[in-house]
Amino acid sequence: MAFVVTENCIKCKYTDCVDVCPVDCFYEGPNFLVIHPDECIDCALCEPECPANAIFEEDDVPVDQREFIQLNAELAEIWPNISEMKAAPADADDWNGKADKKKLLER
Ligand code: SF4
Ligand code: F3S
C-alpha cells in the first residue's frame, strides 16, 4: 500500500507534500510529482498538506484516477528525487481544479 499523487497535481505542483514526507519518497517531473510506492511508509502526513487535494491513499484513489497508481510507480523509477519544497508555477492556482489535465502531463 502507498499514497498516490493524482491528476490535479499536474501544472499545480505546489510541493507542500515534499516538505512533510519523513522518508523523501517524492520524485519530480516537469509539471507533476509522484510517490515511490515501495518507499512510502503510509504515514498520511502529505495528504492534508496538498492545496490541490491530489494525494490519496491507494485504496481511496477515485475510480477515474486509478491509472495514476501505475503511473506513480512507473515515473518514480525514472524521475529525480525531490526533498525540499520549491516555488509553485506562477499560474498554479489557475490550474487547480481544472478537468482533463492528464493530457498535459510532461515526462
Ligand atoms: Fe511520504 Fe508519508 Fe506521504 Fe508516503 S504518506 S508519501 S511516506 S508523507
Ligand atoms: Fe502536487 Fe499537491 Fe504535492 S499539487 S506537488 S501533490 S502538494
Side-chain angles (χ1 to χ4, degrees):
M1 208 69 74
F3 278 67
V4 177
V5 184
T6 61
E7 185 173 22
N8 202 35
C9 175
I10 296 170
K11 291 183 78 67
C12 287
K13 206 168 92 166
Y14 290 109
T15 70
D16 297 58
C17 54
V18 171
D19 229 23
V20 298
C21 182
V23 293
D24 292 342
C25 64
F26 282 90
Y27 292 79
E28 183 186 22
N31 64 4
F32 185 58
L33 252 60
V34 293
I35 293 168
H36 198 305
D38 297 338
E39 297 175 2
C40 173
I41 58 170
D42 282 333
C43 72
L45 289 175
C46 57
E47 185 181 2
E49 297 300 319
C50 175
N53 295 317
I55 302 176
F56 294 86
E57 198 275 324
E58 187 176 328
D59 282 347
D60 295 332
V61 173
V63 175
D64 67 345
Q65 300 282 303
R66 302 294 295 176
E67 65 192 287
F68 280 88
I69 298 171
Q70 179 55 35
L71 212 44
N72 274 240
E74 180 188 328
L75 296 173
E77 292 289 344
I78 50 178
W79 282 351
N81 187 255
I82 173 172
S83 58
E84 287 182 6
M85 191 175 174
K86 57 161 73 169
D91 60 352
D93 290 347
D94 296 337
W95 286 98
N96 191 355
K98 284 257 166 46
D100 283 336
K101 289 198 280 182
K102 169 112 198 288
K103 58 182 181 285
L104 303 174
L105 174 64
E106 295 173 31
R107 296 184 177 233

